[in-house]
Amino acid sequence: MKVAIMQPYLLPYIGYFQLINVVDQFVIYDRIEFTKKSWIKRNRYLSNHQAKYFSLPIKKDHDHLSIIERQLAPDAQQDLNKLLRQFEHAYHKAPYLLYVKPLIKDIFTVKNYNLFWFIFHSLTKVLSYLHIKTPLIVSSDIKQIDHSLRSEQKVISICQSLGATQYINPIGGKQLYNHCAFNAAGIKLAFLKPNAIEYTQLGSTFVPWLSILDVMMFNSIEKIQQLLQQFTLETE
């Protein structure tokens, strides 16, 4: 049983989906503090051959609130409609725009102004489009753990509650976790490192690590499924 645990990110880069695809259960934190400069509410797309940020409009509120307690701005739909137009303009020559356009319209048409559920909904839509069947588990739905735990101990507790034999984390968090602690709990620890991925964009110079939105605009589902396998797992 392979498990991964992550924060909810807005249309994250392909490495996030490689992680979801390689595990049996994927846990998403909903009750962690919202961080303005994280990838929770923003990402990057290709505009005029350069990386450009896009961001969700967030209602002003107390900084200490968790993601599940944050809301989109009351007039968010107006800004989201503008984002849709920007995407369509930026990718109007992309070969898979007609396939991706209904998907992003569904994602950016607000049905729930809660920030966490907006992102959760977007992830489920992308996973369905890519035929990734890994179940998503909301962390607060796991009742049999002590949610006051933090960092490594909370991860281990979640893994134990799900019967995990292996925990896989993005390579960027390698310094956060100790193999000995996981081994003591009977859980193997591994880190996923995406390979250097390139595909044909509109310009002559490839712009890497953009939102999955960019990957979908320029690649068929079959090609993306191949890209999802382009990583290495480090276990030491």
mmCIF file of all heavy atoms in Angstrom, residues 133-158:
data_model
loop_
_atom_site.group_PDB
_atom_site.id
_atom_site.type_symbol
_atom_site.label_atom_id
_atom_site.label_comp_id
_atom_site.label_asym_id
_atom_site.label_seq_id
_atom_site.Cartn_x
_atom_site.Cartn_y
_atom_site.Cartn_z
ATOM 1 N N LYS A 133 -6.897 6.963 -11.601
ATOM 2 C CA LYS A 133 -7.980 6.453 -10.753
ATOM 3 C C LYS A 133 -7.650 6.436 -9.260
ATOM 4 O O LYS A 133 -8.430 5.950 -8.447
ATOM 5 C CB LYS A 133 -8.384 5.058 -11.212
ATOM 6 C CG LYS A 133 -8.857 5.024 -12.665
ATOM 7 C CD LYS A 133 -9.369 3.652 -13.055
ATOM 8 C CE LYS A 133 -9.778 3.629 -14.532
ATOM 9 N NZ LYS A 133 -10.851 4.593 -14.836
ATOM 10 N N THR A 134 -6.492 6.952 -8.871
ATOM 11 C CA THR A 134 -6.113 6.965 -7.455
ATOM 12 C C THR A 134 -7.137 7.744 -6.633
ATOM 13 O O THR A 134 -7.446 8.899 -6.959
ATOM 14 C CB THR A 134 -4.734 7.629 -7.289
ATOM 15 O OG1 THR A 134 -3.786 6.967 -8.122
ATOM 16 C CG2 THR A 134 -4.286 7.574 -5.837
ATOM 17 N N PRO A 135 -7.677 7.172 -5.563
ATOM 18 C CA PRO A 135 -8.654 7.899 -4.739
ATOM 19 C C PRO A 135 -7.995 9.023 -3.959
ATOM 20 O O PRO A 135 -6.867 8.888 -3.473
ATOM 21 C CB PRO A 135 -9.201 6.818 -3.800
ATOM 22 C CG PRO A 135 -8.150 5.758 -3.772
ATOM 23 C CD PRO A 135 -7.486 5.778 -5.114
ATOM 24 N N LEU A 136 -8.707 10.148 -3.841
ATOM 25 C CA LEU A 136 -8.272 11.286 -3.042
ATOM 26 C C LEU A 136 -8.960 11.218 -1.688
ATOM 27 O O LEU A 136 -10.178 11.048 -1.606
ATOM 28 C CB LEU A 136 -8.615 12.600 -3.729
ATOM 29 C CG LEU A 136 -8.078 12.818 -5.146
ATOM 30 C CD1 LEU A 136 -8.468 14.219 -5.649
ATOM 31 C CD2 LEU A 136 -6.574 12.636 -5.204
ATOM 32 N N ILE A 137 -8.174 11.383 -0.622
ATOM 33 C CA ILE A 137 -8.713 11.332 0.738
ATOM 34 C C ILE A 137 -8.456 12.665 1.417
ATOM 35 O O ILE A 137 -7.316 13.151 1.440
ATOM 36 C CB ILE A 137 -8.044 10.204 1.549
ATOM 37 C CG1 ILE A 137 -8.284 8.850 0.870
ATOM 38 C CG2 ILE A 137 -8.554 10.185 2.985
ATOM 39 C CD1 ILE A 137 -7.505 7.709 1.496
ATOM 40 N N VAL A 138 -9.496 13.274 1.958
ATOM 41 C CA VAL A 138 -9.356 14.524 2.703
ATOM 42 C C VAL A 138 -8.836 14.187 4.100
ATOM 43 O O VAL A 138 -9.396 13.330 4.789
ATOM 44 C CB VAL A 138 -10.695 15.265 2.787
ATOM 45 C CG1 VAL A 138 -10.545 16.573 3.579
ATOM 46 C CG2 VAL A 138 -11.228 15.559 1.388
ATOM 47 N N SER A 139 -7.772 14.847 4.516
ATOM 48 C CA SER A 139 -7.086 14.455 5.753
ATOM 49 C C SER A 139 -7.999 14.466 6.976
ATOM 50 O O SER A 139 -7.911 13.586 7.832
ATOM 51 C CB SER A 139 -5.867 15.354 5.992
ATOM 52 O OG SER A 139 -6.261 16.706 6.167
ATOM 53 N N SER A 140 -8.889 15.458 7.076
ATOM 54 C CA SER A 140 -9.743 15.539 8.263
ATOM 55 C C SER A 140 -10.799 14.437 8.306
ATOM 56 O O SER A 140 -11.449 14.241 9.330
ATOM 57 C CB SER A 140 -10.420 16.911 8.346
ATOM 58 O OG SER A 140 -11.272 17.119 7.244
ATOM 59 N N ASP A 141 -10.958 13.710 7.205
ATOM 60 C CA ASP A 141 -11.883 12.578 7.193
ATOM 61 C C ASP A 141 -11.270 11.330 7.831
ATOM 62 O O ASP A 141 -11.969 10.340 8.064
ATOM 63 C CB ASP A 141 -12.313 12.249 5.764
ATOM 64 C CG ASP A 141 -13.284 13.272 5.196
ATOM 65 O OD1 ASP A 141 -13.878 14.030 5.993
ATOM 66 O OD2 ASP A 141 -13.450 13.311 3.964
ATOM 67 N N ILE A 142 -9.972 11.380 8.093
ATOM 68 C CA ILE A 142 -9.308 10.247 8.752
ATOM 69 C C ILE A 142 -9.462 10.441 10.259
ATOM 70 O O ILE A 142 -8.726 11.187 10.895
ATOM 71 C CB ILE A 142 -7.822 10.178 8.354
ATOM 72 C CG1 ILE A 142 -7.681 10.116 6.828
ATOM 73 C CG2 ILE A 142 -7.157 8.963 8.992
ATOM 74 C CD1 ILE A 142 -6.250 10.204 6.342
ATOM 75 N N LYS A 143 -10.430 9.791 10.842
ATOM 76 C CA LYS A 143 -10.822 10.058 12.225
ATOM 77 C C LYS A 143 -9.917 9.391 13.257
ATOM 78 O O LYS A 143 -9.853 9.835 14.406
ATOM 79 C CB LYS A 143 -12.268 9.597 12.453
ATOM 80 C CG LYS A 143 -13.282 10.199 11.495
ATOM 81 C CD LYS A 143 -13.313 11.720 11.573
ATOM 82 C CE LYS A 143 -14.395 12.297 10.652
ATOM 83 N NZ LYS A 143 -14.367 13.777 10.650
ATOM 84 N N GLN A 144 -9.218 8.332 12.868
ATOM 85 C CA GLN A 144 -8.502 7.536 13.856
ATOM 86 C C GLN A 144 -7.091 8.028 14.135
ATOM 87 O O GLN A 144 -6.264 7.284 14.656
ATOM 88 C CB GLN A 144 -8.465 6.062 13.430
ATOM 89 C CG GLN A 144 -7.781 5.776 12.097
ATOM 90 C CD GLN A 144 -8.745 5.826 10.934
ATOM 91 O OE1 GLN A 144 -9.582 6.687 10.846
ATOM 92 N NE2 GLN A 144 -8.615 4.850 10.032
ATOM 93 N N ILE A 145 -6.778 9.272 13.798
ATOM 94 C CA ILE A 145 -5.446 9.810 14.114
ATOM 95 C C ILE A 145 -5.589 11.054 14.988
ATOM 96 O O ILE A 145 -6.661 11.660 15.074
ATOM 97 C CB ILE A 145 -4.652 10.162 12.844
ATOM 98 C CG1 ILE A 145 -5.251 11.406 12.159
ATOM 99 C CG2 ILE A 145 -4.578 8.995 11.882
ATOM 100 C CD1 ILE A 145 -4.335 12.017 11.125
ATOM 101 N N ASP A 146 -4.500 11.409 15.622
ATOM 102 C CA ASP A 146 -4.437 12.615 16.431
ATOM 103 C C ASP A 146 -4.071 13.781 15.512
ATOM 104 O O ASP A 146 -2.925 13.906 15.093
ATOM 105 C CB ASP A 146 -3.396 12.453 17.536
ATOM 106 C CG ASP A 146 -3.276 13.680 18.428
ATOM 107 O OD1 ASP A 146 -3.974 14.687 18.164
ATOM 108 O OD2 ASP A 146 -2.462 13.645 19.369
ATOM 109 N N HIS A 147 -5.041 14.617 15.193
ATOM 110 C CA HIS A 147 -4.806 15.696 14.244
ATOM 111 C C HIS A 147 -3.994 16.845 14.837
ATOM 112 O O HIS A 147 -3.669 17.793 14.120
ATOM 113 C CB HIS A 147 -6.138 16.211 13.683
ATOM 114 C CG HIS A 147 -6.760 15.266 12.696
ATOM 115 N ND1 HIS A 147 -6.388 15.231 11.371
ATOM 116 C CD2 HIS A 147 -7.700 14.309 12.858
ATOM 117 C CE1 HIS A 147 -7.095 14.305 10.740
ATOM 118 N NE2 HIS A 147 -7.900 13.728 11.622
ATOM 119 N N SER A 148 -3.654 16.768 16.117
ATOM 120 C CA SER A 148 -2.771 17.778 16.698
ATOM 121 C C SER A 148 -1.302 17.486 16.398
ATOM 122 O O SER A 148 -0.438 18.331 16.621
ATOM 123 C CB SER A 148 -2.978 17.857 18.216
ATOM 124 O OG SER A 148 -2.544 16.657 18.847
ATOM 125 N N LEU A 149 -1.031 16.282 15.884
ATOM 126 C CA LEU A 149 0.341 15.945 15.510
ATOM 127 C C LEU A 149 0.805 16.846 14.378
ATOM 128 O O LEU A 149 0.005 17.369 13.606
ATOM 129 C CB LEU A 149 0.425 14.475 15.078
ATOM 130 C CG LEU A 149 0.170 13.418 16.158
ATOM 131 C CD1 LEU A 149 0.092 12.030 15.526
ATOM 132 C CD2 LEU A 149 1.254 13.460 17.224
ATOM 133 N N ARG A 150 2.120 16.988 14.263
ATOM 134 C CA ARG A 150 2.683 17.853 13.239
ATOM 135 C C ARG A 150 3.756 17.120 12.439
ATOM 136 O O ARG A 150 4.360 16.154 12.902
ATOM 137 C CB ARG A 150 3.293 19.119 13.867
ATOM 138 C CG ARG A 150 2.283 20.060 14.491
ATOM 139 C CD ARG A 150 1.453 20.745 13.399
ATOM 140 N NE ARG A 150 0.475 21.684 13.952
ATOM 141 C CZ ARG A 150 -0.772 21.392 14.232
ATOM 142 N NH1 ARG A 150 -1.204 20.152 14.047
ATOM 143 N NH2 ARG A 150 -1.604 22.300 14.711
ATOM 144 N N SER A 151 3.986 17.600 11.252
ATOM 145 C CA SER A 151 5.104 17.199 10.399
ATOM 146 C C SER A 151 5.212 15.680 10.273
ATOM 147 O O SER A 151 4.243 15.003 9.961
ATOM 148 C CB SER A 151 6.406 17.808 10.931
ATOM 149 O OG SER A 151 6.288 19.207 11.035
ATOM 150 N N GLU A 152 6.421 15.166 10.544
ATOM 151 C CA GLU A 152 6.720 13.758 10.307
ATOM 152 C C GLU A 152 5.813 12.820 11.091
ATOM 153 O O GLU A 152 5.337 11.813 10.560
ATOM 154 C CB GLU A 152 8.179 13.490 10.652
ATOM 155 C CG GLU A 152 8.655 12.086 10.353
ATOM 156 C CD GLU A 152 10.143 11.936 10.655
ATOM 157 O OE1 GLU A 152 10.495 11.825 11.857
ATOM 158 O OE2 GLU A 152 10.938 11.945 9.706
ATOM 159 N N GLN A 153 5.543 13.149 12.351
ATOM 160 C CA GLN A 153 4.719 12.273 13.176
ATOM 161 C C GLN A 153 3.290 12.184 12.658
ATOM 162 O O GLN A 153 2.659 11.122 12.726
ATOM 163 C CB GLN A 153 4.745 12.740 14.635
ATOM 164 C CG GLN A 153 6.075 12.496 15.329
ATOM 165 C CD GLN A 153 6.509 11.040 15.236
ATOM 166 O OE1 GLN A 153 5.734 10.128 15.533
ATOM 167 N NE2 GLN A 153 7.746 10.814 14.811
ATOM 168 N N LYS A 154 2.783 13.281 12.129
ATOM 169 C CA LYS A 154 1.433 13.248 11.567
ATOM 170 C C LYS A 154 1.407 12.410 10.295
ATOM 171 O O LYS A 154 0.472 11.634 10.065
ATOM 172 C CB LYS A 154 0.934 14.664 11.274
ATOM 173 C CG LYS A 154 -0.535 14.693 10.823
ATOM 174 C CD LYS A 154 -1.096 16.092 10.819
ATOM 175 C CE LYS A 154 -2.584 16.088 10.513
ATOM 176 N NZ LYS A 154 -3.167 17.449 10.562
ATOM 177 N N VAL A 155 2.426 12.559 9.460
ATOM 178 C CA VAL A 155 2.514 11.759 8.238
ATOM 179 C C VAL A 155 2.558 10.270 8.581
ATOM 180 O O VAL A 155 1.827 9.455 7.990
ATOM 181 C CB VAL A 155 3.762 12.159 7.422
ATOM 182 C CG1 VAL A 155 4.024 11.147 6.305
ATOM 183 C CG2 VAL A 155 3.582 13.554 6.836
ATOM 184 N N ILE A 156 3.380 9.900 9.547
ATOM 185 C CA ILE A 156 3.485 8.496 9.942
ATOM 186 C C ILE A 156 2.154 7.991 10.486
ATOM 187 O O ILE A 156 1.714 6.874 10.172
ATOM 188 C CB ILE A 156 4.614 8.310 10.976
ATOM 189 C CG1 ILE A 156 5.971 8.521 10.309
ATOM 190 C CG2 ILE A 156 4.540 6.921 11.622
ATOM 191 C CD1 ILE A 156 7.145 8.511 11.264
ATOM 192 N N SER A 157 1.489 8.814 11.291
ATOM 193 C CA SER A 157 0.195 8.415 11.854
ATOM 194 C C SER A 157 -0.842 8.194 10.757
ATOM 195 O O SER A 157 -1.606 7.217 10.792
ATOM 196 C CB SER A 157 -0.296 9.484 12.833
ATOM 197 O OG SER A 157 -1.532 9.112 13.401
ATOM 198 N N ILE A 158 -0.885 9.075 9.778
ATOM 199 C CA ILE A 158 -1.817 8.914 8.653
ATOM 200 C C ILE A 158 -1.495 7.635 7.887
ATOM 201 O O ILE A 158 -2.393 6.849 7.546
ATOM 202 C CB ILE A 158 -1.763 10.141 7.726
ATOM 203 C CG1 ILE A 158 -2.383 11.360 8.409
ATOM 204 C CG2 ILE A 158 -2.493 9.842 6.408
ATOM 205 C CD1 ILE A 158 -2.246 12.650 7.622
#
